[in-house]
Amino acid sequence: MIIKSKIKGYSLEIKKSFDFFNDLTNKENAFFVIDQNVYNLFGSLFVNVPDSRLFLLDAIEENKTIEMALKICDQLTKLDTKRNTVLVSCGGGITQDLTGFVTSIMYRGIGWIFIPTTLLAACDSCIGGKTSLNYKHFKNLLGTFYPPDRIYICPDFFDTLTEKDYKSGLGEVVKFSIMMGEDGVKLLKQNMDLLLKRDKQVLESFVERSLSFKKTFIEEEEFDLGERVLLNFAHTFGHAFEVSSNYIIPHGTAVALGVLAANSISNARGMLNIYNQENILNLVKKIIPFKLSKDWFKIETIISAIRKDKKQTSENITALLLNDDFRLTICKDISEQEIKKAITYILSIAEVENEEVVYI
């Protein structure tokens, strides 16, 4: 797959084995940033990499900061190679965000190869060129646009994902399938059980399908000024749920819950009928991997996080809502009361175990 970009064109390949690592680790000008968990599981892939060209990253949300980016920059400045350095990063979305930011600012741009090891990164964020850092406890306030030169996806990495991380990736698969319309929802419904069983063939087809769908948006409008904004469906609420839970809720799961919040408002406004709302709800229920605490849904924290979201441009709250024909509408008049009702809806569809914990 070739993705066209005004910054630079780049390629994406799906690999059936880890053999391609041999060429990467033998590059003399390569510098590697590897998620520590990935290194613990797949350290044999990097035995040829000298310590001076290796940075092991504790890839947690709290480290997705300018301070961590500068630590990587500091190690890069100690190399003999400069602008011809190629940074190879291997990990999930946090690793991608940090290394994408670093490569965009280091010597005003160096080479970058990205290998996503999570389903979430592979089916969504690996293309599009966005880099994002958290700032002052708010998500993705700092960032640039800078795509990798090459992306290699190897589904064998997904075998080691926890249930939580795997189902988080399915959150973006669900979002894209909804955006594809009634046929997309129907196809997802038919294959959900196989996706949950991590069937390689079905999983690879949905990864390719999601990326091909996203590709049409980012090639049409790359910088979030037009149609690409539709890809943010459910993210206004999803990002707020991440913040309000102190990032206990991972991104893809937060997006899935964001779909439910948006659809609740859409239904209340008469835009989305109960049949479509329930159909989507039943799909989302299957990919929520853990108990939810009511403490993660404090309305004041959620409203504050939404207002700090970089996509908000005025005092009025903007969000994307779904219509019965599965078209998205940008609504710039979302009220706090509507958000409160949406949160109540998410909690109301759960079985309450006790005062603190609920089940989806």
Side-chain angles (χ1 to χ4, degrees), residues 177-188 275-276 279 324-326:
S177 296
I178 293 168
M179 291 181 67
M180 290 175 200
E182 190 173 354
D183 289 343
V185 173
K186 183 178 179 181
L187 187 66
L188 180 62
Y275 172 79
N276 285 331
N279 233 352
D324 274 330
D325 60 1
F326 290 90

Side-chain angles (χ1 to χ4, degrees), residues 147-275:
D149 298 279
R150 279 176 283 164
I151 301 164
Y152 296 115
I153 295 174
C154 186
D156 286 350
F157 278 118
F158 307 153
D159 292 340
T160 61
L161 294 177
T162 64
E163 193 77 355
K164 176 181 175 181
D165 287 336
Y166 181 76
K167 287 186 173 179
S168 176
L170 289 180
E172 288 285 1
V173 172
V174 168
K175 183 204 77 173
F176 281 125
S177 296
I178 293 168
M179 291 181 67
M180 290 175 200
E182 190 173 354
D183 289 343
V185 173
K186 183 178 179 181
L187 187 66
L188 180 62
K189 191 174 181 180
Q190 291 170 345
N191 288 279
M192 180 58 85
D193 289 342
L194 288 172
L195 284 170
L196 291 171
K197 292 176 182 176
R198 308 194 192 196
D199 181 281
K200 282 280 177 64
Q201 186 175 350
V202 173
L203 182 57
E204 187 174 317
S205 71
F206 271 85
V207 168
E208 287 188 277
R209 184 177 171 85
S210 297
L211 292 173
S212 295
F213 182 76
K214 180 175 181 177
K215 178 178 183 286
T216 62
F217 284 85
I218 62 178
E219 289 187 337
E220 178 70 23
E221 196 289 297
E222 191 171 1
F223 302 115
D224 263 355
L225 301 174
E227 283 294 299
R228 180 172 178 170
V229 74
L230 298 180
L231 294 173
N232 290 320
F233 173 50
H235 283 64
T236 293
F237 306 109
H239 284 168
F241 297 158
E242 289 180 79
V243 172
S244 65
S245 69
N246 199 26
Y247 300 103
I248 295 172
I249 302 177
H251 178 74
T253 302
V255 167
L257 294 171
V259 167
L260 299 186
N263 286 357
S264 171
I265 297 173
S266 297
N267 175 259
R269 290 190 174 201
M271 298 167 63
L272 185 71
N273 66 45
I274 191 66
Y275 172 79

Side-chain angles (χ1 to χ4, degrees), residues 24-39:
L24 293 179
T25 56
N26 286 321
K27 281 181 174 289
E28 291 185 0
N29 62 334
F31 178 83
F32 291 79
V33 178
I34 312 298
D35 180 327
Q36 179 70 66
N37 289 330
V38 174
Y39 189 82

Side-chain angles (χ1 to χ4, degrees), residues 14-25:
I14 296 181
K15 298 291 190 178
K16 302 295 185 183
S17 74
F18 293 133
D19 291 347
F20 68 99
F21 272 93
N22 292 329
D23 290 336
L24 293 179
T25 56

Side-chain angles (χ1 to χ4, degrees), residues 31-40 46 51 53-59 68 72 75:
F31 178 83
F32 291 79
V33 178
I34 312 298
D35 180 327
Q36 179 70 66
N37 289 330
V38 174
Y39 189 82
N40 292 344
F46 308 101
D51 290 344
R53 291 186 172 273
L54 180 65
F55 188 101
L56 297 182
L57 173 67
D58 185 11
M68 183 59 68
I72 299 172
Q75 192 163 333

